Structure formats: C-alpha cells, structure tokens
Amino acid sequence: MAYDINEDEFKAILKAAEDWPRADTLADFSYGTAGFRMRADLLDYVVFTVGLVASLRSRKCAGNAIGVMITASHNPAEDNGVKIVDPMGEMLMSDWEPYAKFMANARTPEQLRNCFMHIINTAQVHDHNARKVIFARDTRPSGARLVRALKAALEATNTEYVDYGILTTPQLHYLVKATNTVKMDKPYGEVSEEGYYKKLSKAFSEAINHATRPPSTPVTVDCANGVGAPKMKKLIEHLPEGALDIQIVNDRIESPEDLNNHCGADFVKTSQRVPQSFTGKAFDRWCSLDGDADRIIYYFVEEGKVFRLLDGDRIATLAAAFIGELVRKAGLDEVITIAIVQTAYANGASTKYVEQNLKLKVEFTNTGVKHLHHVAAMKDIGVYFEANGHGTVLFSERAVKAMRKHQPQSTAQMEALETLRALTDLINQTVGDALSDFLLVETILAHKEWTVKEWLATYTDLPNKLAKCLVTDRSAYTSVPGTAEQRLATPARVQPKIDEIVSKYRDGRCFVRASGTEDAVRVYGEAAEVYDTEDLVAKVCDFIGSYGGKSP
Ligand code: NG1
Ligand code: ZN
C-alpha cells in the first residue's frame, strides 16, 4: 500500500529548511558508530533532517517518544554530533540508519521530498500517527544553535517535544525509556533528571548495604571539563551521607576549549597517561569520564610514577566476576548464565582471563556499542564493555524474574539476592553510563574490600597500542564480514602485508579498520613486549601511510 505525503506538512518542512541550508560539501554525510559526527559548523542541516527522521520514527513506533542527543562525546570542542535513540532507550534500529543518511544528503527540495516519500513508503509510516521527540545536548557551545535547527524540524512536522537542556547521553537514554514505560507495570523510573539520580542513589544504597564497609579510600573523578562535571555533582548530592569520598577535577565547563583537552577517558586510554590536573599519590584511585559521560576508565600510579590503567576490559571482568559470585551465592547458578561481549579492541589477556579463570563465554562483535548491546541482550546476564570504557550489564527479563521469584535458603543467600536485585536498578539498562558504572565499580570494590592494587593483580595486560592514520579515503577500508573487523577485505594489498608484519612478533596481533566517528583508520596492535608493540604498530602505520594517505 502506498502512503501519501501530507502536502501541508511538506510545505512547512521546506519553508523551515530555508533557515538551515545544507553545508556545501561534496562528500556525503554518514551515520556512523554513534550517529553523525563532524565539525559543528557543518551540522545545521544534518540536525534539521535528523528532526524529520525522528518524527517519522516516532510515528512508526506508534507515537512512542524518540530521543535525539546532540553531542560529539570525546571529540574536540569544535566538533559536534547527533544521534537518534529508539523507544526503549536503545540505539536507532539499524534498518533506519540508511534513512537518516539518505535524508542528511538530500541536496535539493526535490531530493528531500523523495527521501521523505521513500521513508514513508518503505517503512510504512502512517501520516496521522502521534509523534513525540525528547532531546538534550552536552556542554558544547554549538549545541544551542543545533537545538534550534532540531526544533525547527519538529515544529514543521507538528511533533510534540520536550527539551531537556544539558544532560549526559545516558541520562537522555534513561528518559526515553522512562517516558515510554510510564504506563507499564514496571516503569523504568520517574520521568525527570531528578528521577534518574533518585533511582541510582537508592539502588546504590541497597547494593552496598551488605558490604562490610564503604570504600575506605577517596576516589577522584576527572570529568573531562564536560557535562559529567555538573551531573556528577548532582549525583553526589543524592548519595547517602558518607557513603563515598569523591573529589572532582576538570570541571571547567565554562571554557569550551578545555573539553576533552588533555583529560577525559579517551585521552587517558589512548595516550596511556594521567590527565591534566592529576595530583594522585601512589595507589590513589582515579577515574575519567568522557565528554558526554557514557564512558569511564580507572587508573592509578605506582611508586616511581608507573602508570596503570584499569580500562573497560577491567570493568567488564570485575563486574562479571562479582555478579557471577552473587549468582552462585544466591543459589541461582543452575538457572542463570552470564556471558561477556567484547570487541577486537579488548586486550587479549582479558579474554584469556575470562575464559580460563572466570570460565565464562566470550563473544566478539564489531565495534560500536549497538553491536555489543544486541548480543548481550540475548543472554540471561550479558556483560559488555568496549576497552575504551563504554559498556554496561544487561539483565534479561528471564533473569530478573528468576531473581524476583527465588526463595533464599539462608541469610547469605538472601544478602546475595538483595545485592543482585539492587544491581538491576543500579546498572543503566539502556546504554553504557559512566555515572552508573562508577557506582557499580565502587560497590564492587567495597564488597571485595579491594584497592586498585588487588584489582590490577587479576591479570596482566598485554602491551598494546591504538594509533590513527589519516588516509585520503577511509571508505576504501572494508572488513571481512564475520571477523569482528580483524581482517581487511579492501584495499586488497593491505591485509597480506599486515599478516607479514605481525608474523615477526611474539604474541603479535594487529588489525586495521576505518573509524566510524573520525576521518581516519585505526591501527590496533598487541605483542608480548612494549617495544615490539610500538614497532609493530609503527610499521603498519608506515605501510598505510605510504599506501593510502599520510600518517600523522
Ligand atoms: P570509531 O571511531 O568507529 O573507532 C569510536 C570507538 C568506539 C565507539 C565510538 C563511539 C574505539 C577504538 N572506537 O569509534 O568504540 O565508542 O567511538 O563513541 O575506541
Ligand atoms: Zn561518549
């Protein structure tokens, strides 16, 4: 059946679009790992079209609220980005990504009309359906202008909307799910930013209730000079008195140029160095959020200033081990299984530890949390983290029911069960969330009475390096399907050369893939020794530089 365009609506769209002309670029925009991301001054029209797509998506989803988040996460301050959030707080369904791309690349009113018609017809969108969009942005100054472009599209399409102002990305995901479950038996939480803090702090109090004592040492949080700073401060106001001793650094959101600049999770992880403003003494516990507070990584220095990273792989292994113990102690290990999902960027030593020590199954997916999330959602309990600190733990309906119904046979079983139930509320079920993951890690360290030293001692990371090569056309780099992006299909000559280089190093592993968020290809390498790793990655970068562009 053919669905017709509403001519009045389309007239209003064209009129509104006049204020947000498409940037005059030759290249097409693409909906990458985390939506559209680029220099903020190119984004006006893209955000406008995202508003149109979000409105159509809401109509398709029976009027449920769709989320739009304006952020460029860990990218520099001059960038920005936009992504769409589906009704249960998950990333936009992948079938719709081409629609978003198609619309953002329409260059004339005719093309825009064709795109609109195409979506309405292929996705079968009823014009008369209700439509609602909720949105927020991070602290980037360009966000305010982009919000105006978004509102223009929502108003032209007669879409009800709520502007939540400045939020972390996971807070917006929370609000989308809370909005759409408000009338259900089990609403996800109160539909407000306040409701988010209330939910987390209540769950945290319950989760540490059976710990012998709260962590006895302070923890310092580097907020990347981004939105995580004010939001972490608000969270602290809601936490039980004296539960955690939290210091905050890098909270200068009033100076945009400081955002992610020599600080934040991405800087610490990729440069394997402490951030600006670091004042930690040996074994002090520090962590860093990224620019939109969906990633977190921990680290510390040993005596002699040796830097030690506790990244996403460490959080995944810590969480899986702890939840596994609780499941066993609660007497549910016959009923509930746990799996870990990683990407090829996970350190090889972490994978070995999960399989050999924790005796859990590891599955690999392509980069991008939507892929990990999808696989983890199929497990009873699915723990997924990218090495960069983006991840969460998903509890299936089946697991939650089993925890609810289970009758504990002893006080120990009851305590384990209560802690487990608290974790299902503490851990953000929509997306990786630095604030929620922070409370999770602190809960686990309190229960285990661990310092960073014991946490680090669980396994030894293989030396590794992540580099970036600028190439003339990153789209020339495609991966072989089913290899979790560890092998290149094109350019044809590159993979054999990588294999040849890698074969010369003990425990060597190296792969190259096109970034979905930056105009570059990433080169990841691991080897038994630090100097081998450096050498391996440098050789591969050199080859790519000589082959397809210039290495930085
Ligand atoms: P790209 O640029 O596609 O490598 C990066 C991260 C992803 C994910 C996205 C979204 C690495 C190697 N890649 O993607 O894991 O977090 O950004 O922010 O860390
Ligand atoms: Zn982020």
Side-chain angles (χ1 to χ4, degrees):
M1 156 178 187
Y3 290 77
D4 247 350
I5 206 158
N6 175 333
E7 294 299 342
D8 288 341
E9 178 182 13
F10 201 71
K11 247 188 238 153
I13 292 173
L14 285 187
K15 174 118 197 24
E18 286 170 12
D19 293 336
W20 309 100
R22 190 182 188 283
D24 193 16
T25 56
L26 288 176
D28 271 0
F29 302 128
S30 63
Y31 197 95
T33 336
F36 296 103
R37 203 176 283 184
M38 62 195 85
R39 257 184 28 227
D41 57 336
L42 300 177
L43 263 173
D44 296 12
Y45 178 72
V46 175
V47 172
F48 179 82
T49 62
V50 162
L52 305 181
V53 175
S55 173
L56 291 173
R57 180 75 185 141
S58 173
R59 293 175 221 188
K60 176 66 191 172
C61 298
N64 274 298
I66 294 295
V68 174
M69 184 70 203
I70 297 177
T71 176
S73 183
H74 56 278
N75 286 32
E78 61 270 22
D79 286 359
N80 215 326
V82 60
K83 66 176 182 181
I84 301 176
V85 179
D86 258 0
M88 283 304 114
E90 61 301 33
M91 304 287 189
L92 175 68
M93 184 193 191
S94 53
D95 296 9
W96 273 65
E97 289 180 7
Y99 298 152
K101 176 177 174 183
F102 196 24
M103 198 84 107
N105 291 306
R107 288 161 201 265
T108 61
E110 293 68 41
Q111 285 176 358
L112 194 63
R113 186 190 169 91
N114 289 344
C115 288
F116 212 78
M117 283 295 279
H118 174 76
I119 301 177
I120 287 177
N121 277 300
T122 41
Q124 310 235 309
V125 179
H126 291 280
D127 164 52
H128 53 262
N129 275 3
R131 66 227 44 184
K132 179 169 183 176
V133 170
I134 71 174
F135 59 86
R137 62 185 175 96
D138 68 16
T139 53
R140 281 159 218 269
S142 56
R145 190 188 74 246
L146 297 175
V147 158
R148 288 204 299 281
L150 180 64
K151 279 187 187 165
L154 298 177
E155 278 157 15
T157 50
N158 216 355
T159 305
E160 181 192 345
Y161 64 75
V162 185
D163 177 356
Y164 279 101
I166 292 177
L167 290 182
T168 71
T169 296
Q171 286 179 325
L172 181 78
H173 284 254
Y174 163 92
L175 284 168
V176 172
K177 186 162 182 173
T179 303
N180 293 321
T181 55
V182 83
K183 295 208 178 91
M184 292 185 180
D185 283 352
K186 294 215 163 308
Y188 189 57
E190 276 177 35
V191 190
S192 64
E193 186 184 340
E194 181 71 18
Y196 169 90
Y197 302 118
K198 282 196 331 221
K199 178 171 174 162
L200 281 195
S201 57
K202 179 168 177 290
F204 175 67
S205 307
E206 291 165 3
I208 54 161
N209 192 24
H210 300 302
T212 331
R213 56 187 159 86
S216 50
T217 49
V219 54
T220 305
V221 187
D222 152 29
C223 295
N225 294 316
V227 62
K231 304 308 178 186
M232 181 58 103
K233 288 177 189 168
K234 280 200 186 154
L235 176 66
I236 293 171
E237 286 168 19
H238 288 79
L239 292 179
E241 216 28 62
L244 287 176
D245 180 357
I246 307 170
Q247 316 292 328
I248 286 181
V249 297
N250 295 330
D251 59 349
R252 299 184 301 280
I253 56 167
E254 64 292 346
S255 38
E257 63 284 0
D258 291 337
L259 175 68
N260 298 321
N261 193 1
H262 287 86
C263 61
D266 197 61
F267 170 81
V268 174
K269 168 75 182 161
T270 41
S271 61
Q272 308 199 15
R273 271 193 284 157
V274 296
Q276 203 167 59
S277 322
F278 182 82
T279 51
K281 297 185 299 304
F283 303 109
D284 281 353
R285 187 164 78 260
W286 278 60
C287 61
S288 287
L289 319 180
D290 74 339
D292 63 338
D294 59 358
R295 295 188 189 179
I296 185 168
I297 50 157
Y298 276 72
Y299 48 92
F300 63 100
V301 289
E302 289 181 346
E303 275 123 14
K305 297 227 157 55
V306 181
F307 175 75
R308 297 291 186 188
L309 189 64
L310 296 156
D311 62 4
D313 301 339
R314 294 280 177 175
I315 299 175
T317 48
L318 184 75
F322 181 63
I323 293 169
E325 270 164 43
L326 288 176
V327 166
R328 220 171 19 255
K329 283 188 192 156
L332 282 166
D333 46 336
E334 306 266 287
V335 190
I336 297 176
T337 57
I338 302 172
I340 295 201
V341 190
Q342 297 186 317
T343 71
Y345 292 106
N347 195 283
S350 74
T351 312
K352 207 162 143 193
Y353 171 75
V354 173
E355 288 173 341
Q356 297 183 355
N357 296 60
L358 302 182
K359 309 258 182 264
L360 297 176
K361 203 167 158 339
V362 181
E363 283 187 42
F364 283 92
T365 69
N366 284 1
T367 304
V369 280
K370 64 184 174 200
H371 300 295
L372 292 118
H373 190 96
H374 183 70
V375 173
M378 294 189 292
K379 312 293 172 193
D380 288 344
I381 298 180
V383 180
Y384 76 83
F385 271 87
E386 293 186 310
N388 61 33
H390 193 174
T392 193
V393 181
L394 296 181
F395 296 89
S396 66
E397 198 49 50
R398 201 182 149 271
V400 172
K401 259 198 199 129
M403 289 177 207
R404 211 180 297 138
K405 280 198 346 222
H406 187 60
Q407 294 294 333
Q409 305 298 312
S410 65
T411 311
Q413 276 204 357
M414 190 194 66
E415 289 186 2
L417 199 60
E418 284 178 359
T419 308
L420 260 181
R421 287 176 184 153
L423 292 187
T424 62
D425 281 332
L426 180 65
I427 305 173
N428 194 319
Q429 293 299 288
T430 64
V431 77
D433 179 340
L435 302 190
S436 150
D437 290 337
F438 166 76
L439 293 177
L440 171 66
V441 170
E442 294 299 315
T443 298
I444 302 175
L445 296 180
H447 274 269
K448 288 185 172 288
E449 298 188 49
W450 273 9
T451 67
V452 283
K453 222 189 257 184
E454 288 82 25
W455 186 8
L456 185 77
T458 47
Y459 63 87
T460 307
D461 273 320
L462 278 171
N464 61 92
K465 183 160 180 82
L466 180 60
K468 206 162 61 177
C469 293
L470 302 181
V471 293
T472 34
D473 179 15
R474 72 176 147 144
S475 69
Y477 289 74
T478 62
S479 307
V480 178
T483 62
E485 302 169 313
Q486 299 206 65
R487 297 196 66 77
L488 281 175
T490 62
R493 271 182 46 215
V494 180
Q495 190 60 51
K497 185 68 187 176
I498 298 173
D499 291 343
E500 185 196 316
I501 297 172
V502 170
S503 68
K504 297 188 179 129
Y505 300 90
R506 188 158 64 86
D507 291 338
R509 179 166 78 94
C510 180
F511 66 92
V512 173
R513 63 173 270 284
S515 161
T517 61
E518 287 176 72
D519 212 0
V521 298
R522 299 199 192 283
V523 178
Y524 177 83
E526 266 176 22
E529 306 294 341
V530 176
Y531 54 85
D532 277 354
T533 312
E534 297 283 336
D535 202 41
L536 163 62
V537 170
K539 286 220 165 68
V540 172
C541 283
D542 277 353
F543 174 67
I544 288 174
S546 65
Y547 184 83
K550 46 187 190 328
S551 298

